[in-house]
Amino acid sequence: MLLVVLSRTFELARDRFGTLFAAGWGYMLLLLALNLAISGQLMPATGFSTGSYMMEPLAGAAAGGDRERALRILAGLANIATGFSIAVAYLRRILLGERAFPLAFGARNLRVAWKLLLLGVLSGVFFVPMLLVAGLLLPVIAPAGFVLLLASPFLTVMLVQRLSLVLPAAALDDRMSLGDSWRLTAGIGWALVLAALAVALVAGLVSGLWVGLVWLVGEAFVPATGLAAELRSALVPMGVMVIVTWLFASLHATAYALTRERFVERVGLKIADAEHAAERRAQAGRDKARKAVRSVIESRSRRD
């Protein structure tokens, strides 16, 4: 199942690269304008030493560091909001064939934002207690504490990935709950986790290549200050956000289609792939039922 999810995710991203721009070009222009405005506000007199405001070290409080920090936080929030709006348009174009107005932001986007915020909070709820338990175990049972310390990020990713189908569902006006997502990803949870880690690695590599390319072109042809330097600065966060959105939206489209058979062919999956995922869910349900029955029998035998 892992190979199916990974191969189809990357094939979908490759085949629908043009769709990403067709569906999200309005948001991309908005993303460029936002980052251009922030670059103009933050550019020092001598220009950015790293080529982009997002990679510049923060100035001290006396040198306006608080204002710069606030502007960067606002820029990050604006980039995330615009990024998931691109993802919504991309998913709806792929799975529904919708051709919406290039800049549409409404209740649907707010629902996706709420689900994204909820998953972020839940990741902290999962991760922090595991870290605390690992810290308590390290002085007492060092091996167990060390194993939990290493495993906690992966366990957090697994738990969040099991719930993450609510994101594409919200983009498609599907009233899927967290419980529904957990149930539908039974049996394929680890495949989704490993696929998400692989996609994150590829996104990091592609983003690094993009940042390096912008830096090289900027160093060779762009002056240190002025509008061209601001544009160079804006292209870095804009490109990284588009790359991350493109790859993770393709992953979510693939995972969602595995649980909603009417979308299987839209992402290039086979009916057999969806049937295999359904079999794994059913097997996970049977295993859970067996464990419950075994637990009841064991508790009764202990009482007797």
Side-chain angles (χ1 to χ4, degrees), residues 273-289:
D273 297 327
E275 290 174 348
H276 183 46
E279 289 172 6
R280 293 176 71 102
R281 284 196 298 273
Q283 183 61 46
R286 288 191 292 269
D287 291 342
K288 184 177 180 180

Side-chain angles (χ1 to χ4, degrees), residues 228-241:
E230 293 174 8
L231 180 61
R232 171 194 178 188
S233 169
L235 284 172
V236 171
M238 173 204 169
V240 170
M241 181 54 64

Side-chain angles (χ1 to χ4, degrees), residues 32-291:
L32 180 61
L34 287 169
N35 283 292
L36 192 59
I38 297 294
S39 296
Q41 289 292 316
L42 293 179
M43 177 169 281
T46 56
F48 295 117
S49 60
T50 59
S52 175
Y53 76 90
M54 273 294 186
M55 299 186 294
E56 288 287 292
L58 280 169
D66 291 339
R67 175 177 175 272
E68 182 179 342
R69 188 177 294 106
L71 283 171
R72 286 201 196 185
I73 292 172
L74 288 174
L77 293 174
N79 274 272
I80 292 171
T82 312
F84 72 68
S85 296
I86 295 173
V88 169
Y90 177 61
L91 285 168
R92 292 184 70 83
R93 178 69 69 92
I94 290 174
L95 297 176
L96 301 178
E98 182 181 86
R99 296 175 179 271
F101 184 73
L103 278 174
F105 193 96
R108 180 183 301 123
N109 301 71
L110 293 175
R111 283 195 298 270
V112 176
W114 162 245
K115 301 289 187 182
L116 189 62
L117 177 62
L118 183 59
L119 288 178
V121 171
L122 287 175
S123 65
V125 170
F126 295 146
F127 186 55
V128 172
M130 284 191 282
L131 280 184
L132 292 175
V133 173
L136 292 173
L137 286 175
L138 277 172
V140 183
I141 312 174
F146 185 68
V147 168
L148 181 58
L149 186 65
L150 291 179
S152 53
F154 299 100
L155 292 173
T156 301
V157 171
M158 185 199 72
L159 294 168
V160 172
Q161 278 299 116
R162 290 283 306 272
L163 302 172
S164 66
L165 289 188
V166 296
L167 295 176
L172 299 171
D173 302 324
D174 179 351
R175 300 291 183 176
M176 182 186 292
S177 67
L178 292 174
D180 294 333
S181 178
W182 185 268
R183 178 179 54 81
L184 289 168
T185 53
I188 60 172
W190 280 111
L192 293 179
V193 171
L194 296 174
L197 293 174
V199 168
L201 177 61
V202 172
L205 291 174
V206 177
S207 297
L209 290 173
W210 169 254
V211 172
L213 177 63
V214 173
W215 183 84
L216 284 173
V217 172
E219 289 296 306
F221 301 107
V222 178
T225 58
L227 182 59
E230 293 174 8
L231 180 61
R232 171 194 178 188
S233 169
L235 284 172
V236 171
M238 173 204 169
V240 170
M241 181 54 64
V242 170
I243 289 165
V244 171
T245 298
W246 168 50
L247 291 173
F248 273 95
S250 298
L251 172 62
H252 281 130
T254 302
Y256 183 77
L258 281 172
T259 65
R260 292 287 192 258
E261 291 187 7
R262 65 184 181 276
F263 296 120
V264 164
E265 294 181 355
R266 284 278 189 176
V267 300
L269 287 165
K270 300 175 183 177
I271 295 297
D273 297 327
E275 290 174 348
H276 183 46
E279 289 172 6
R280 293 176 71 102
R281 284 196 298 273
Q283 183 61 46
R286 288 191 292 269
D287 291 342
K288 184 177 180 180
R290 289 193 194 98
K291 289 179 181 177

